[in-house]
Amino acid sequence: MKLGLFFSDLHGIEDTYDRINSQELGVFLVSNGIYHAVLKENGKPSKILNKKGASFYVLKEDLHTRGFSEGEVDSRVKVISYDDLVDLVMDRYEKLAWI
Amino acid sequence: MGLKNKIMFVVQRPPYKSEDPKLALTHALSSGVTSIHIDEEVVPTVAFIGDGILNCVRDQKSMEAYGIISNERHIKNMLATDTKTLVCKEDIERLGIKEERLIDASDMGADMTIKVVPFNEILKEMEENDHLMFF
Amino acid sequence: MGMLSIGVFSSLVGSMDLDFAVRLARAAINKGHTVNLWLSGNATALSKDKQKEFKDYSFPDKTLRELIGKGLTVVSCEACNQSRGIQKEDMTEGINRASMDLYLAKAAQSDRVLHIGVE
C-alpha cells in the first residue's frame, strides 16, 4: 500500500511506527513531530528517520513556529508547504494515518 | 468512482482517561446505518494495538463507578453485529493480559469473537481496507 | 480534482490540531479539491458561534467561515455538541450537525481520508 503517516509528537508513538511497513511510506512531520527532523537527542538524529525506503517531509510553517529553520533539517527530510502537502496527499499516498 | 467503504478503526490508547477509544467504537458501530446516505453500508474492521488492547479487558464496571456505558458494552455490541475485531497478540502478551480475560459476547448470542492475531496480520488488514482511522 | 475528508477530534483551545486541519482544508480547496470537515469530541467547540479572538490562542473560526463560503462542507457531531451544551441556535451559520454515520458515508465517497483522532 501507499501509506502516508502523520507524526505530531516527539515521543510516545515509536512503538506503532516501528511495526508499520508499507510498500511505499511517506512520513509527514507536523506540529511537535517536526522535532524529529531537527533534534539530535543524546547527540543522535531521531530513530524515526532510519526507516528504510521511507520518504520524510516536514511542514515549513510548523518548523518556523517552533524556532527552527530549513538549514537545521536533517538531509533525509524534505521541507514542504501546505500546498505541497495537499499534492502529496491527493496524488501519491492513497491511505493516511495520523498516529 | 466506486465507494471506498472498507474502513479500519485502529484503537491505540487505553480506555476511560480519554474519550478517543469510545469514539472509535461508536463510530464503528454507526457503520450499520450508513446505507441511509450511500448505496452500500460501510464495512468496519476494528483493531486494538499497543496500550489500546486494554479496552478489551472484560468485567468493566464503569456504569457502577461513573454512571457511563462501558467500552466493553460497545465492544460486545460490535461482536453481536458481526464486526471483525482484532487484538494484537504481541501487545496482550507484553502487558500480561491472558486471552481468557478478553471480552466475549456469547451471552448476547454473538458468533463473532475477538481474534488474537500477530501485528503482521493487523498490518495485512490495513492493506485490505480502503481508509484508516487511528484513535 | 479529488475529494478529501478530514475528521478532527482535538480541542479548539488547548490544541493546534484543529488549526492544522483547517489550514490543510484551505490549501486543498484553493487547489480545487472538494473537502469535507467532520468535527467530533472536543473539536465540536469550533462549531460554536460568537467566538472571540485572543492573540494567545489560535483562531481557526475566521478561516473556517471563509472556507464555508468557498464550498467547504462542515458537519459537527450532534451528540458531542449537545453533551457540551451547544444547541443548534448556538452554532455558526453554514455548519451542519449530524450523527457519525454521515461522516463514515462521506469517508466512503472520498479519495482520501485524514482522521485526526487523538490529541
Side-chain angles (χ1 to χ4, degrees):
Chain A
M1 71 183 146
K2 296 178 180 176
L3 176 65
L5 279 184
F6 285 74
F7 270 47
S8 64
D9 283 309
L10 174 57
H11 294 127
I13 42 179
E14 298 87 345
D15 184 47
T16 300
Y17 175 71
D18 287 347
R19 296 189 286 179
I20 288 182
N21 289 307
S22 182
Q23 171 202 359
E24 193 171 333
L25 183 66
V27 178
F28 296 100
L29 305 171
V30 302
S31 191
N32 288 343
I34 67 102
Y35 294 119
H36 291 287
V38 291
L39 291 186
K40 290 190 170 56
E41 198 172 343
N42 296 318
K44 292 176 185 167
S46 170
K47 286 180 188 168
I48 296 295
L49 304 179
N50 291 341
K51 195 151 224 165
K52 293 252 182 328
S55 302
F56 300 94
Y57 309 95
V58 63
L59 188 62
K60 184 173 56 183
E61 283 83 346
D62 290 355
L63 191 67
H64 292 174
T65 296
R66 287 160 179 78
F68 290 89
S69 62
E70 283 84 340
E72 297 169 277
V73 171
D74 189 286
S75 61
R76 289 167 285 185
V77 184
K78 188 177 178 191
V79 180
I80 59 168
S81 64
Y82 273 98
D83 279 354
D84 299 327
L85 178 57
V86 168
D87 291 342
L88 287 163
V89 158
M90 298 306 290
D91 299 338
R92 185 160 174 187
Y93 298 103
E94 56 198 16
K95 290 178 206 175
L96 309 170
W98 179 288
I99 62 171
Chain B
M1 190 193 80
L3 285 175
K4 297 174 89 168
N5 63 331
K6 290 168 70 180
I7 298 181
M8 185 166 177
F9 301 83
V10 183
V11 184
Q12 49 183 350
R13 268 132 184 112
Y16 298 113
K17 178 183 175 180
S18 155
E19 189 185 14
D20 298 332
K22 176 163 281 190
L23 286 170
L25 306 177
T26 52
H27 276 70
L29 280 166
S30 76
S31 303
V33 289
T34 48
S35 58
I36 60 173
H37 307 290
I38 49 179
D39 292 340
E40 294 172 57
E41 281 180 5
V42 164
V43 180
T45 299
V46 179
F48 297 90
I49 65 168
D51 296 349
I53 65 105
L54 295 167
N55 287 277
C56 298
V57 173
R58 67 195 310 163
D59 295 331
Q60 297 173 23
K61 296 185 174 61
S62 61
M63 183 58 80
E64 290 87 333
Y66 284 98
I68 55 171
I69 295 174
S70 66
N71 290 12
E72 178 175 12
R73 170 58 50 190
H74 288 310
I75 291 170
K76 288 178 85 159
N77 285 338
M78 276 168 24
L79 294 169
T81 51
D82 294 330
T83 302
K84 188 192 275 189
T85 305
L86 310 173
V87 64
C88 177
K89 183 173 189 297
E90 292 90 333
D91 289 322
I92 65 165
E93 287 174 357
R94 177 175 60 87
L95 294 171
I97 302 296
K98 299 248 185 305
E99 282 194 38
E100 55 266 29
R101 288 207 64 189
L102 299 179
I103 293 163
D104 87 20
S106 53
D107 60 326
M108 295 168 71
D111 295 324
M112 187 69 81
T113 57
I114 293 178
K115 200 172 164 200
V116 179
V117 296
F119 191 83
N120 271 346
E121 201 160 317
I122 291 173
L123 202 55
K124 200 171 145 209
E125 201 67 44
M126 283 170 59
E127 287 180 16
E128 286 169 6
N129 274 269
D130 296 317
H131 295 303
L132 307 174
M133 295 186 181
F134 276 65
F135 286 83
Chain C
M1 291 297 110
M3 182 187 284
L4 169 67
S5 282
I6 306 172
V8 204
F9 292 63
S10 324
S11 304
L12 172 60
V13 178
S15 166
M16 294 282 283
D17 290 350
L18 259 172
D19 287 76
F20 173 86
V22 171
R23 283 166 187 260
L24 181 65
R26 178 171 64 188
I29 281 183
N30 288 343
K31 281 179 171 281
H33 298 294
T34 302
V35 183
N36 308 306
L37 183 64
W38 166 249
L39 305 173
S40 183
N42 289 337
T44 53
L46 182 58
S47 70
K48 203 167 183 307
D49 198 11
K50 298 178 184 169
Q51 294 173 38
K52 186 176 176 184
E53 184 170 8
F54 290 89
K55 288 297 179 192
D56 267 331
Y57 309 125
S58 57
F59 191 65
D61 176 81
K62 188 179 167 197
T63 308
L64 190 77
R65 288 170 190 264
E66 290 168 10
L67 294 178
I68 291 169
K70 288 182 172 183
L72 174 71
T73 304
V74 188
V75 180
S76 189
C77 171
E78 186 166 6
C80 302
N81 270 30
Q82 289 188 332
S83 67
R84 287 160 178 80
I86 305 170
Q87 307 303 333
K88 205 169 182 358
E89 57 271 23
D90 303 323
M91 291 172 64
T92 298
E93 194 179 334
I95 298 181
N96 299 308
R97 61 182 197 173
S99 52
M100 46 197 71
D101 48 281
L102 182 62
Y103 169 49
L104 297 186
K106 287 281 185 191
Q109 292 172 308
S110 297
D111 300 291
R112 300 289 184 273
V113 174
L114 178 60
H115 179 87
I116 304 174
V118 292
E119 292 203 58

